[in-house]
Amino acid sequence: MEEQNTRPASGPSSSPAPRRNSNQRSRTSRRKKRCPLLESKIDYIDYKDTRMLERFLGDNKRILPRRLTGVNTTMQRRLATAIKRAKQIALLPYV
Amino acid sequence: MNLDKNRIYEVMFILEPTIEEDDVDKIVGQLTQGVIDKGGDVAKVDKLGRRQLAYEIRKGSRKYRDGYYVLLHLNGTGQEIAETERRLRVLDPVIRYLTVRTDEELKRAKKMQDRRARRAAGRAARRAEAAAPAGADE
């Protein structure tokens, strides 16, 4: 798994291929983001852990996209559920 | 319908902030009794206490800025959840409640933990093997 995760970093997405003519962002060397939840070894996303959940909310209290946080797909789904639960029970604000 | 008594639930509810400690215990007692009557059991009661609400909740004509949080850990079949929620709806000081079934999530988390432990053990073993030269056998 760990070996696999490092692979796309050296893949075509981040290599400074000269013929890439996309936007500015791809020119700066982009490092492959690692999932912060896997890194910190969080297996169970608890809706009561507001401190942890807040890290994945933007200023407007909306759930941040994976593209910004680097959370993997599975965890993003569970994270979203946990955040929504926390909002229902007024542990986290809606706006 | 699967009626195995192996589900784990968390029921969290918010009571009026002005509630007395005795009344909290009374409500918890009522709910616990209801759960037991349905064949479940209450594993743990967490009185999380008064906490500011993340947003204002209106209930009837009243507005609440804070509330008294209580968390129940239940084991059972699912039957007692219906009963608990019915009671929570009827009880006057309850501002809001939320039921979450956690057993499957916990099982998954356990699996992940086990896998991590196994991997770490494997890594340690491999490192030990690499550190000890091939000649140094037992």
Side-chain angles (χ1 to χ4, degrees):
Chain A
M1 267 305 255
E2 278 94 359
E3 287 80 23
Q4 257 182 4
N5 277 346
T6 56
R7 191 182 48 78
S10 57
S13 63
S14 69
S15 71
R19 58 183 182 81
R20 267 182 75 111
N21 54 350
S22 48
N23 53 15
Q24 298 275 46
R25 206 155 53 119
S26 66
R27 255 194 333 171
T28 62
S29 65
R30 238 184 331 142
R31 234 164 29 85
K32 168 79 179 169
K33 278 198 197 107
R34 304 287 299 278
C35 175
L37 290 171
L38 286 180
E39 296 275 281
S40 49
K41 298 191 166 62
I42 294 170
D43 292 317
Y44 176 59
I45 301 176
D46 195 348
Y47 69 96
K48 298 185 290 295
D49 191 357
T50 48
R51 271 271 190 69
M52 189 271 283
L53 297 177
E54 264 170 3
R55 281 168 43 206
F56 300 97
L57 293 179
D59 293 338
N60 49 8
K61 302 300 173 193
R62 290 168 75 156
I63 303 170
L64 289 174
R66 268 173 10 90
R67 128 176 80 80
L68 297 183
T69 55
V71 178
N72 70 30
T73 329
T74 324
M75 286 312 209
Q76 176 76 3
R77 204 166 50 232
R78 294 184 197 155
L79 189 62
T81 317
I83 290 174
K84 287 171 191 170
R85 282 174 178 167
K87 285 180 175 182
Q88 277 181 42
I89 198 78
L91 291 173
L92 288 177
Y94 275 109
V95 214
Chain B
M1 197 161 87
N2 181 15
L3 281 180
D4 293 339
K5 190 187 163 183
N6 52 10
R7 295 182 179 184
I8 302 170
Y9 294 92
E10 284 181 7
V11 180
M12 189 186 255
F13 54 93
I14 312 175
L15 300 167
E16 289 176 336
T18 50
I19 196 158
E20 301 287 332
E21 199 75 20
D22 294 349
D23 293 331
V24 177
D25 289 333
K26 208 186 291 172
I27 289 174
V28 169
Q30 277 175 22
L31 294 172
T32 308
Q33 194 50 50
V35 170
I36 291 170
D37 289 347
K38 291 279 175 186
D41 65 280
V42 178
K44 201 165 145 215
V45 181
D46 269 339
K47 287 192 278 183
L48 305 174
R50 253 183 85 160
R51 191 183 189 288
Q52 203 184 348
L53 302 177
Y55 48 87
E56 191 180 84
I57 296 180
R58 269 191 297 270
K59 193 191 172 213
S61 57
R62 282 161 295 178
K63 289 177 181 172
Y64 297 103
R65 296 256 72 201
D66 39 13
Y68 191 105
Y69 280 75
V70 183
L71 178 66
L72 302 179
H73 297 261
L74 307 182
N75 302 321
T77 58
Q79 302 276 307
E80 59 288 319
I81 293 303
E83 173 67 14
T84 310
E85 291 203 336
R86 193 188 60 76
R87 284 179 190 237
L88 286 171
R89 267 196 298 276
V90 173
L91 283 168
D92 222 24
V94 177
I95 301 174
R96 194 162 286 194
Y97 62 85
L98 177 75
T99 309
V100 176
R101 183 178 167 192
T102 53
D103 49 325
E104 299 197 323
E105 285 278 317
L106 289 173
K107 210 159 69 189
R108 209 151 41 199
K110 175 101 172 41
K111 208 163 87 184
M112 291 290 286
Q113 261 162 24
D114 288 350
R115 193 159 71 182
R116 205 178 340 257
R118 254 203 326 277
R119 277 223 201 99
R123 260 202 301 278
R126 251 175 283 132
R127 205 172 301 130
E129 209 165 299
D137 48 26
E138 294 85 5

